[in-house]
Amino acid sequence: MKRINIVYGGQPYSIGGRELESVLSEIGLGLQSAEPRWLTVNYGEGVPRTAHLLLATGIDIAIIPVPGVDEDADQESAEQPPPRAR
């Protein structure tokens, strides 16, 4: 995984050096926790700054994996096809 792009409350962020499953698990645990939980991400381009996103219900968050050069961009979608509208 090259990086994971995140859109949180309409703003772009990213995470590098982590696997998708790990990030999804951390978000899931954060949403289930009674205590406030924060997701550490990068903000900005060029020299990114560290940012902390509050994991709470009701806040829009999208996770977009960006594959590395040696990875198939559609590998995960091939394993689990998206649901189809009826």
Side-chain angles (χ1 to χ4, degrees), residues 3 11 13-14 35-36 43 45-47 49 51 53 59 64 66 81:
R3 74 175 176 277
Q11 297 298 311
Y13 301 90
S14 66
E35 298 294 319
Y43 175 75
E45 295 184 23
V47 179
R49 293 174 290 179
L53 307 178
I59 298 174
I64 306 110
V66 179

Side-chain angles (χ1 to χ4, degrees), residues 52-64:
H52 304 281
L53 307 178
L54 178 62
L55 299 174
T57 57
I59 298 174
D60 294 336
I61 185 169
I63 309 301
I64 306 110

Side-chain angles (χ1 to χ4, degrees), residues 5-30:
N5 288 339
I6 296 176
V7 178
Y8 177 92
Q11 297 298 311
Y13 301 90
S14 66
I15 296 177
R18 291 192 54 191
E19 293 298 321
L20 176 63
E21 293 77 21
S22 169
V23 173
L24 293 175
S25 177
E26 183 176 349
I27 292 170
L29 291 172

